[in-house]
Amino acid sequence: MVARLEDIKKDLHDLRDEVRVTQQSLVGRGEWQQRNAHVDTRLDALEGSKSRTWTVVAVIVAGLSLVVTVGLAIAGN
């Protein structure tokens, strides 16, 4: 009986040690939310700059298309 209690006591001690080690590698909820918000802000900024770039490219391509079309129409007459 005493040996069994010692085994249980040792198991509990090992379990407590394991929980302590595991908790050291965990990130708190507040810190996790702060990290996520920071990443979201950076991604939104990146997406915004890509959108502006593609808008400018689209306007340039449309303008060139118009110039080529008008040039071909004039050259055809």
Side-chain angles (χ1 to χ4, degrees):
M1 177 83 171
V2 173
R4 179 70 182 136
L5 287 176
E6 288 298 321
D7 286 344
I8 292 173
K9 187 177 177 180
K10 183 184 178 314
D11 288 344
L12 284 174
H13 181 70
D14 292 344
L15 182 61
R16 286 183 183 140
D17 287 343
E18 185 178 337
V19 168
R20 267 190 231 110
V21 169
T22 302
Q23 286 178 339
Q24 290 173 355
S25 65
L26 295 179
V27 176
R29 181 180 176 93
E31 184 179 353
W32 183 261
Q33 288 175 333
Q34 183 180 6
R35 288 180 185 181
N36 281 347
H38 178 70
V39 170
D40 288 345
T41 302
R42 291 183 58 125
L43 287 176
D44 289 344
L46 182 62
E47 288 297 321
S49 66
K50 284 183 181 178
S51 296
R52 287 189 298 270
T53 302
W54 284 112
T55 301
V56 170
V57 169
V59 168
I60 291 171
V61 169
L64 289 174
S65 298
L66 180 62
V67 168
V68 169
T69 303
V70 170
L72 290 175
I74 292 174
N77 284 335

